[in-house]
Amino acid sequence: DGGITQSPKYLFRKEGQNVTLSCEQNLNHDAMYWYRQDPGQGLRLIYYSQIVNDFQKGDIAEGYSVSREKKESFPLTVTSAQKNPTAFYLCASSIAGGRPYEQYFGPGTRLTVT
Amino acid sequence: AQSVTQLGSHVSVSEGALVLLRCNYSSSVPPYLFWYVQYPNQGLQLLLKYTSAATLVKGINGFEAEFKKSETSFHLTKPSAHMSDAAEYFCAVSARDLDMRFGAGTRLTVKP
């Protein structure tokens, strides 16, 4: 079955450490996204990528970094510069080009930093 | 700029009652509109989408939504709630490629 996988499901880190969240898709989608979800705030866009080796900042990119070396993979690094990293992180993908397309979401990673 | 407003962060209905979740959008160009559902600690699943074809859109699990341009609304309805409908629902708008904006979400509780 095609879909998006995120690992791990739960992640715990100490303050000051960088941590990388994995996102892989086998839907052959060109576009991939990272969102942060906090209670009562909906989804906020961190980064998105339309093609390999290219990505754009979203609304809340500060303290995060990404790479897109392969079409299937779009890992997100939460750096120590992110002031409040504890959140639920969602990866998504979509067809790109021409008009808006629905996004398909992974199961999410819940990050807790103490 | 585009945005959505979901009226009511929490909605509670009895099992078998009508479900109505409200969404109003703002967009400078004709929008594409979406409803997603999220169960606890899971990702979002697409319920239905409006892409400028029929204004009444039917989705999965018995849900439907009607696009009303004059009211800038895209409310989600289901005639009879089921316990399994308890979840969080997100309305989203997209007016151009790669740019989707989500509402804050509405948590639906279904009472037996």
Side-chain angles (χ1 to χ4, degrees):
Chain A
D1 287 338
I4 301 177
T5 57
Q6 291 185 243
S7 60
K9 180 73 172 172
Y10 298 95
L11 191 53
F12 298 88
R13 281 293 183 270
K14 295 290 187 183
E15 194 172 323
Q17 293 179 336
N18 291 355
V19 58
T20 297
L21 282 59
S22 169
C23 177
E24 304 275 336
Q25 56 100 358
N26 62 2
L27 299 168
N28 198 33
H29 286 165
D30 287 311
M32 297 187 73
Y33 312 80
W34 274 106
Y35 292 93
R36 171 180 172 138
Q37 186 178 17
D38 296 284
Q41 296 193 45
L43 278 67
R44 293 182 290 168
L45 182 65
I46 304 172
Y47 269 98
Y48 67 98
S49 168
Q50 187 175 0
I51 57 173
V52 173
N53 292 324
D54 185 55
F55 45 83
Q56 305 296 326
K57 292 182 179 180
D59 299 319
I60 57 164
E62 184 175 351
Y64 300 97
S65 66
V66 294
S67 63
R68 186 89 185 274
E69 298 177 0
K70 299 186 301 182
K71 185 176 183 177
E72 301 79 16
S73 179
F74 191 41
L76 173 74
T77 296
V78 184
T79 74
S80 56
Q82 168 50 232
K83 296 189 186 309
N84 185 19
T86 294
F88 190 53
Y89 290 88
L90 288 161
C91 179
S93 71
S94 75
I95 298 170
R99 66 163 180 85
Y101 287 92
E102 63 268 30
Q103 295 181 11
Y104 294 82
F105 285 81
T109 292
R110 186 167 297 280
L111 173 64
T112 302
V113 177
T114 58
Chain B
Q2 54 188 359
S3 65
V4 291
T5 302
Q6 292 185 239
L7 301 175
S9 59
H10 291 90
V11 170
S12 181
V13 301
S14 297
E15 192 173 18
L18 171 72
V19 175
L20 171 61
L21 304 181
R22 300 177 187 274
C23 173
N24 287 90
Y25 70 90
S26 173
S27 177
S28 57
V29 298
Y32 286 50
L33 293 157
F34 307 83
W35 274 101
Y36 286 87
V37 61
Q38 183 182 36
Y39 298 99
N41 290 311
Q42 294 186 26
L44 277 65
Q45 179 184 5
L46 182 68
L47 277 178
L48 51 80
K49 61 184 179 183
Y50 167 75
T51 58
S52 76
T55 56
L56 183 62
V57 181
K58 294 187 183 298
I60 62 172
N61 302 339
F63 285 93
E64 64 180 37
E66 186 172 9
F67 173 72
K68 292 187 176 181
K69 184 178 178 180
S70 62
E71 299 177 8
T72 61
S73 69
F74 190 58
H75 302 331
L76 182 70
T77 60
K78 182 174 181 178
S80 176
H82 192 272
M83 296 297 291
S84 61
D85 294 327
E88 187 147 25
Y89 292 80
F90 291 93
C91 182
V93 62
S94 182
R96 62 182 180 88
D97 195 17
L98 308 176
D99 187 9
M100 185 175 289
R101 300 290 164 162
F102 292 83
T106 297
R107 183 168 301 278
L108 176 67
T109 301
V110 182
K111 298 175 292 185

